[in-house]
Structure formats: structure tokens, C-alpha cells
Amino acid sequence: MTGPIGICIHGGCGTLDRSLQSEAQWAESRDHLAQSLTAGWRVLKAGGGALDAVEAAVRVMEDSAHFNAGYGAALNEASFHELDASIMNGADLSAGAVCAARRIRNPITAARAVMEKSSCVLLAAEAADAFAERQGLAMVANSYFTTQQRVDALASLKQRAERGTLAAASEAEKHGTVGAVALDAHGNLAAGTSTGGFNNKPVGRIGDTPIVGAGTYARNGVCAVSGTGQGEFFIRSSAAYDIAARMMYAGNSLEEATDALVFQTLKGYGIGAGFASIDASGKVRAPFNTLGMYRGWIGADGKMTVATHLEEHHLGAMA
């Protein structure tokens, strides 16, 4: 079987106001999105599987300081990092996840190891770290993930909390997540999501990212979805699964289903939200209801697009 291929990624909604970074910094962010897409696309173009493509794309963003996952992840209220990730195989609905991990360099790879090499779906905290280490995955000191940008963001949020102005903080100050979804030439769909949570989060807080059906979902013949936004509301809404359910049971298109979640259900809670999504035909959709969302895709036509705010940058066809 040889069908269409495609990949869609996000690097978190609630993008900073354009004035808060230089154009060189925005250009570097877009370049890292393009690197992520390229890593996933090469897998798909060579006939590889959707799971491999998703993992490859997410790892690039986990290694970039521009995104809240892996290196550059958010700091919790105690000034250390607790990382979450999940991955799902649309072919058989298998899934794996880690949460509150502290030493795993690439949590998305650990999530896949949980899926493929354990009897669990989700491992937490020290158990997740120990499992990843036993699997021979790259381990680092918790300080590896720290960047000055996250140190500054934590200080800003603590000051806001003291002044009683925390509600006025931007989505970009608080949250951030990365994710990828892909369709391979054999019709298999996969989704993966990774995050450091939100800045100044309580120690031990777990959001939607490692919760299958909340922040991540994939089912062959339907769609693959990765979400970004305030995870508590994604969990309450079973947001990622709801998109698939709307398509399966109500006959919604990918656009109708994702837009309903972003612009109605989740916006109704007063939160910023966005998704990277792809359907079984290779159609991609990346809606968001905030100032911007780091995002990009390569559809069945092989053309790459990346964006941070409303305008899209079309980078042409892939080789």
C-alpha cells in the first residue's frame, strides 16, 4: 500500500507578542520548526512509519530552547523541571507516556519505550526516570533543561502572584507544549506530545500531555491529534479524543471537529488552545485561539509551511 503522507507539528499556543523578540529570534524559531518537520518528513518519504516520524519531529523541538519541552522546559514553583510526554499508535491504539520525569533528555523517546517495552501506558516520576535509564536512553542532570528565559519567566510569574496580577499573565508566560502528528504511506496515523508543563506550576502537577485522549490521540482511518493549552481543561473535555469522536460518530470533517474544540468548547472556558492534526487522507489542520501558535506542516503536496503568528511562511516543496 502506498498512499499520501503528511506531517503537522506545533510548538505551543500563546506565542509571545512580536515585539518581545527580535526578528532574528523569530526567524530562528521558524528554522527550528522547519528542522522538526524535515526530520519527520525524511522518515515518511523514505517509507518509514508514522511513529518514527512523530518521534523524530518531537525530539528536534525537545532539543531546542525555543520550546517548552526538554531543553528549555518550564520551571515549577520549586525551580526544577518535571517533564511529561506521550505517544500513540493509530494502528492498534497502543500508547505510552511518562510524567513528572526529571532526568530524561528526550521524554518522547521514553514514552515510546513505555509503549513498546513495558506492560504500562504511563510511568511517573522516579519510576519513569529509572525505566528510561534501564532502557539505555540519554539521561541528564535536571539543570540541563534550564535556560535563562525560563528563569526569568518564573521570576516574573512569582512577582505577579505577589502583586495579585497573575491572571493578567500571557499564555506564553504560563504555558507551552510541543507535538507532532503524521500519516505514513501505509495509512498509519500517530501522534506525540511533550511538555515542561507551565511556569511556576505546583510540584507534582500533571497536565493533559501524558494523558491519552486528553492531549494526544491517534486512530487509523480517522485522525491524529496533539493539543496545546491549559491542560486541566483538556483533561476535563477529553479534548483530543473528542475530535476523533466527532469525526467518527457525527461525521465531522477534521476542520469542523478541531474548530469546534478550539473556538467553542475550550474557548468557552476562557483559555488559549490549539491543535496540530491530520486526517486519514493527509489533510492537516492547526487551529488556535491565541495571539499565535508555533506550527508547521507538510501536506500530501509535499510543500512546507511554518508560522508563529497569523501569517504563514511557505517554504516550498520538499525534495
Side-chain angles (χ1 to χ4, degrees), residues 8-309:
C8 182
I9 64 172
H10 71 77
C13 68
T15 305
L16 290 167
D17 185 277
R18 190 183 303 278
S19 65
L20 296 179
Q21 288 192 154
S22 68
E23 183 49 44
Q25 289 172 307
W26 288 119
E28 184 174 77
S29 296
R30 293 191 296 271
D31 180 60
H32 289 194
L33 290 170
Q35 289 177 31
S36 172
L37 286 167
T38 299
W41 179 259
R42 285 175 176 165
V43 171
L44 297 171
K45 191 68 174 177
L51 277 170
D52 291 334
V54 162
E55 181 185 357
V58 171
R59 281 178 63 101
V60 170
M61 291 186 284
E62 287 179 336
D63 290 341
S64 168
H66 286 286
F67 310 109
N68 176 15
Y71 177 62
L75 288 157
N76 64 21
E77 63 184 4
S79 300
F80 64 89
H81 306 274
E82 294 178 296
L83 309 180
D84 306 333
S86 67
I87 196 166
M88 187 168 187
N89 183 358
D92 60 5
L93 304 187
S94 59
V98 294
C99 65
R102 299 185 184 183
R103 299 188 297 112
I104 304 169
R105 174 169 175 162
N106 291 106
I108 192 67
T109 298
R112 184 168 181 182
V114 170
M115 178 180 70
E116 296 180 338
K117 299 178 181 180
S118 83
S119 59
C120 307
V121 169
L122 175 62
L123 287 176
E126 292 88 350
D129 287 335
F131 173 81
E133 194 162 23
R134 290 196 302 272
Q135 297 304 316
L137 304 188
M139 307 299 290
V140 293
N142 194 256
S143 59
Y144 159 82
F145 304 110
T146 308
T147 62
Q148 190 60 46
Q149 178 184 359
R150 298 305 180 190
V151 172
D152 294 344
L154 179 64
S156 173
L157 287 173
K158 286 185 177 294
Q159 290 171 3
R160 284 186 179 276
E162 291 176 3
R163 296 195 301 264
T165 61
L166 193 59
S170 70
E171 291 292 333
E173 283 182 272
K174 295 182 289 186
H175 303 292
T177 306
V178 307
V181 295
L183 171 70
D184 66 32
H186 303 286
N188 296 313
L189 289 161
T193 314
S194 181
T195 189
F198 63 84
N199 294 304
N200 204 32
K201 68 181 180 180
V203 174
R205 178 266 184 185
I206 306 300
D208 65 303
T209 292
I211 307 301
V212 174
T216 306
Y217 193 76
R219 182 185 286 261
N220 277 16
V222 185
C223 67
V225 179
S226 173
T228 170
Q230 189 171 342
E232 284 72 13
F233 296 95
F234 281 66
I235 294 171
R236 296 174 195 173
S237 303
S238 298
Y241 175 74
D242 193 14
I243 289 171
R246 288 170 183 267
M247 295 176 68
M248 289 187 291
Y249 306 131
N252 283 183
S253 67
L254 182 68
E255 180 176 358
E256 290 169 337
T258 54
D259 284 7
L261 264 292
V262 172
F263 301 116
Q264 297 175 28
T265 302
L266 295 171
K267 189 175 183 180
Y269 290 122
I271 68 163
F275 289 98
S277 62
I278 189 168
D279 68 14
S281 70
K283 182 177 181 180
V284 297
R285 180 74 176 157
F288 57 96
N289 62 18
T290 54
L291 177 66
M293 182 172 77
Y294 295 99
R295 62 199 187 280
W297 56 86
I298 305 173
D301 61 3
K303 296 180 180 179
M304 181 188 292
T305 298
V306 297
T308 56
H309 296 81

